[in-house]
């Protein structure tokens, strides 16, 4: 797993945990929400990388 994937996984986990803390998600349906949130985080990262590449900024790492 590369650095970006690990960071996306961590961000998704933190988002879900925060939603559980505020009562928006229950622990019983964690996996359902985690998958969707993780997919959105990864899609956002990929979109940002493409935008940076298009602007000629290259790899943001």
């Amino acid at each position: 797993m590369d650095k970006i994937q690990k960071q996306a996984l961590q961000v998704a986990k933190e988002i879900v945990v925060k939603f559980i803390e505020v009562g928006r998600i229950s622990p019983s349906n964690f996996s359902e929400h985690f998958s969707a949130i993780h997919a959105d985080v990864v899609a956002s990262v990929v979109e940002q990388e493409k935008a940076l590449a298009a602007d000629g900024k290259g790899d943001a790492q």
Side-chain angles (χ1 to χ4, degrees):
M1 186 179 299
D2 71 356
K3 182 179 175 182
I4 292 174
Q5 289 176 336
K6 281 184 176 182
Q7 289 175 339
L9 188 63
Q10 182 66 30
V11 167
K13 183 187 90 167
E14 290 177 15
I15 291 169
V16 172
V17 167
K18 184 55 76 175
F19 281 160
I20 289 171
E21 288 174 353
V22 298
R24 302 278 303 193
I25 295 175
S26 73
S28 64
N29 59 8
F30 169 88
S31 62
E32 176 185 329
H33 291 286
F34 181 81
S35 298
I37 291 170
H38 182 258
D40 286 342
V41 169
V42 170
S44 295
V45 170
V46 168
E47 183 180 314
Q48 183 65 29
E49 286 181 338
K50 286 180 182 179
L52 288 173
D55 288 345
K57 304 227 188 227
D59 193 13
Q61 291 182 6

